[in-house]
Amino acid sequence: MKEEIVLGNVMVDCGDAAALQRFYGALLGWEQRVLYGCPAVRSSGGVVFLFAQEEDYAPPVWPEEPGRQQKQMHFDFQVESVPEAAERAASLGAVRAPAQFGGEDFVTMLDPAGHPFCLCRK
């Protein structure tokens, strides 16, 4: 039986992480807390949104327009072994992002289209 990889968290880039945490906490009725050093909200079922504050944040334009800021989210997947999952992702066509910030907790990869996602230790 193959080990299933499950979705861990959804990371949302923004200009004010605390404000977005309060908004989603109130909108969804989810618990507000800090996880992985980020403001976060968590559902009773364990779904987590993390909010990453970016100094140069530019909100996306919707509907999307050529040459304008696109959506700003990426997936975090929870895995038993970060190195093994990264190796498997690479074997499927992903590449390790040049900049890494997770230490042993997570690794950031780029999918074949260049979208970032993180493989996070459970």
Side-chain angles (χ1 to χ4, degrees), residues 1-120:
M1 176 182 215
K2 276 189 179 176
E3 176 190 345
E4 178 184 8
I5 294 177
V6 298
L7 177 64
N9 310 303
V10 176
M11 178 71 73
V12 182
D13 293 347
C14 58
D16 185 338
L20 208 55
Q21 176 197 38
R22 288 190 300 271
F23 170 78
Y24 279 104
L27 179 70
L28 303 172
W30 290 7
E31 173 190 16
Q32 296 182 45
R33 55 183 307 139
V34 174
L35 295 168
Y36 303 108
C38 296
V41 295
R42 182 170 61 185
S43 76
S44 61
V47 175
V48 174
F49 291 171
L50 299 167
F51 303 100
Q53 189 158 321
E54 304 293 337
E55 288 184 32
D56 59 351
Y57 176 76
V61 173
W62 185 260
E64 295 175 349
E65 297 175 15
R68 303 287 306 272
Q69 179 62 54
Q70 303 294 308
K71 291 182 290 297
Q72 300 172 322
M73 286 195 274
H74 69 264
F75 293 109
D76 285 352
F77 298 103
Q78 294 179 341
V79 299
E80 292 295 332
S81 168
V82 172
E84 288 177 17
E87 183 177 311
R88 181 162 189 277
S91 77
L92 296 172
V95 296
R96 188 179 293 262
Q100 295 290 323
F101 305 98
E104 294 185 15
D105 290 326
F106 65 89
V107 64
T108 302
M109 305 291 292
L110 303 175
D111 71 15
H115 300 112
F117 65 94
C118 294
L119 300 168
C120 304

